[in-house]
Amino acid sequence: MGEELPPSLFNILRGDLRDTRGEINGRLDNLARDMVTSAMLAQVTSNQKERDDRQDARIRSLEEKREESERENQRLAEEQRKAKAQQFFSIGLAAFGAVLAIIGGIVTWTVTSGLQQLVGGGP
């Protein structure tokens, strides 16, 4: 019994299985080292959501400023339109008054001339 017996097939397979397990565990350990933990993933997700929320708030703020600017531009355009309409109305009213004054002058001159001829004092 001093001689060593050749290894049995079972012992050979068991040794190969042990080596394979060790190799697989080593690879999995290397892979796990490069993986992200669930806590780290939760933190990254939280940070991304926070950045998205800040960006959404900035976009909303810019949209509100743009809408406010558009409302202000519309208000100014409306005021300018009203001012222009008032100016044209004033010019039209002045022109109408001038026409009435000319007509009134002609009527007055005609009546005065006719009265002077009736009275007999004029040409």
Side-chain angles (χ1 to χ4, degrees):
M1 291 211 153
E3 286 180 34
E4 287 190 24
L5 296 172
S8 68
L9 184 59
F10 177 76
N11 288 334
I12 293 172
L13 289 176
R14 191 169 64 175
D16 283 347
L17 185 60
R18 190 179 322 121
D19 292 342
T20 304
R21 278 186 192 154
E23 186 179 331
I24 289 173
N25 286 337
R27 287 185 182 177
L28 288 176
D29 288 343
N30 289 338
L31 181 65
R33 188 173 353 132
D34 295 336
M35 291 183 127
V36 176
T37 63
S38 61
M40 189 180 274
L41 178 63
Q43 181 64 38
V44 168
T45 305
S46 171
N47 291 345
Q48 182 64 41
K49 183 178 180 331
E50 191 176 308
R51 277 193 299 271
D52 289 347
D53 290 345
R54 282 195 309 257
Q55 187 174 8
D56 289 346
R58 276 192 300 250
I59 289 171
R60 271 193 305 275
S61 171
L62 290 173
E63 287 176 349
E64 288 171 0
K65 287 179 184 177
R66 183 181 51 82
E67 289 172 359
E68 184 179 327
S69 175
E70 286 178 3
R71 282 193 300 269
E72 181 66 19
N73 288 341
Q74 288 175 349
R75 188 186 63 78
L76 289 174
E78 184 68 21
E79 286 178 5
Q80 289 175 350
R81 187 190 65 76
K82 286 179 182 178
K84 197 176 219 180
Q86 288 173 346
Q87 287 174 348
F88 282 125
F89 182 75
S90 297
I91 291 170
L93 195 57
F96 182 69
V99 168
L100 285 180
I102 291 172
I103 292 173
I106 291 172
V107 168
T108 303
W109 179 73
T110 305
V111 170
T112 306
S113 328
L115 286 177
Q116 284 178 353
Q117 287 179 356
L118 282 176
V119 174

